[in-house]
Structures are given as structure tokens and as C-alpha cells.
Amino acid sequence: MPLITQVAEAVIAELNGTTFSQPFTAVRSYLPRSELAELKALKVTVVPSGLSVVTASRGQTQQDVAIDVAVQQKLTGEDNTDLDPLLALAEEIAAHFRGKRLTSFPHAIWVKTEFKTIYAPDHIDQLRTFTSVVSLTFRVIE
């Protein structure tokens, strides 16, 4: 199994093995497409999204693996009470990985988190769907 896939699976194991403010089951996908009807329930998708490899020393390489975690749900309204809990969940997910090694793949240690999209205003406006993408970077030295 490719390294990026191993790290993505370890992220899924962490997400599904942790209790967050809202229940969900994370899944992995290379093409995270959803029909709007499928988003009535909260959806968390893990996408292997990038790999950077550089020399760490003569005999070792440093591999930075980027994994995107998308939080999506169809909205019943557009006010703060509908959006705040979903944004809070995205922040909870980001905070969960901060400074940690992945339990099922301990060679991978967190180095960075970015919100590629803290929330997508066009998704709220046009699709009435909340979308947030948390990009997690883990470093593996081999």
C-alpha cells in the first residue's frame, strides 16, 4: 500500500476511534463527490492529497504527506446556529491531530494544519451545504 494511503487510513482510524461533538464515520475517497441528498447526514471524507519528498540525510528521506479532511452537510438554514457547530467540528478535527503521532502509523507525526476552506460561502449560497476542508500534513522519515 502506498505511503500516502497508509497515512490516510491511519487518519481515518483516528477519526473513527475518537468521540467528537457530532457523530460521524469517516471514509476515504480519491474523488469525494456527493449528491446533495447524501449530505442530509454529516459526511466526513478523507482524501490523500499530496506528497513531498526531500533528502533528510545521506540514507534517509523526509516525506511530508498531505491529507485533506472534508466536513460536509446539507443545511436546514443559513444562520449562525446552523453553521457554528459544523465549523466547530472542523476545528475539533484540526485540534485533535495537533502535535500527535498517528496511533496506527506511529512513523507519521503531525507538522502542520491548514484550512484550505474554513467554509465555502458559494456552497452555502448556491447548494445550501456547509463545506470545510482541513488539510493535515504528517512527516515520515525513512
Side-chain angles (χ1 to χ4, degrees), residues 7-29:
V7 174
E9 288 295 328
V11 168
I12 290 168
E14 287 279 334
L15 290 170
N16 291 339
T18 303
T19 301
F20 290 96
S21 61
Q22 297 182 56
F24 62 84
T25 300
V27 296
R28 179 169 56 93
S29 178

Side-chain angles (χ1 to χ4, degrees), residues 8 14 25 27 34 41 43 51 54 56 60 66-67 81 92 102 107 109 114 116 118 126 137 140-141:
E14 287 279 334
T25 300
V27 296
S34 298
K43 184 171 183 182
L51 178 64
V54 297
Q60 293 183 312
I67 304 294
T81 59
E92 277 179 68
L102 295 172
H107 300 300
I109 186 165
E114 291 180 73
K116 283 189 173 175
I118 190 84
Q126 297 169 16
T137 302
V140 178
I141 298 181

Side-chain angles (χ1 to χ4, degrees), residues 20-106:
F20 290 96
S21 61
Q22 297 182 56
F24 62 84
T25 300
V27 296
R28 179 169 56 93
S29 178
Y30 290 107
L31 297 171
R33 297 184 199 140
S34 298
E35 296 295 321
L36 288 178
E38 296 172 324
L39 296 177
K40 286 183 182 176
L42 177 62
K43 184 171 183 182
V44 175
T45 309
V46 174
V47 181
S49 66
L51 178 64
S52 172
V53 182
V54 297
T55 301
S57 69
R58 283 187 187 166
Q60 293 183 312
T61 59
Q62 172 184 303
Q63 300 177 73
D64 286 354
V65 179
I67 304 294
D68 291 346
V69 180
V71 175
Q72 295 179 288
Q73 187 169 27
K74 183 89 172 125
L75 299 168
T76 55
E78 294 178 9
D79 61 21
N80 293 346
T81 59
D82 296 310
L83 300 169
D84 287 348
L86 295 167
L87 186 56
L89 176 61
E91 288 183 349
E92 277 179 68
I93 290 170
H96 174 75
F97 290 98
R98 196 172 301 128
K100 290 182 68 172
R101 291 184 183 271
L102 295 172
T103 304
S104 64
F105 196 81

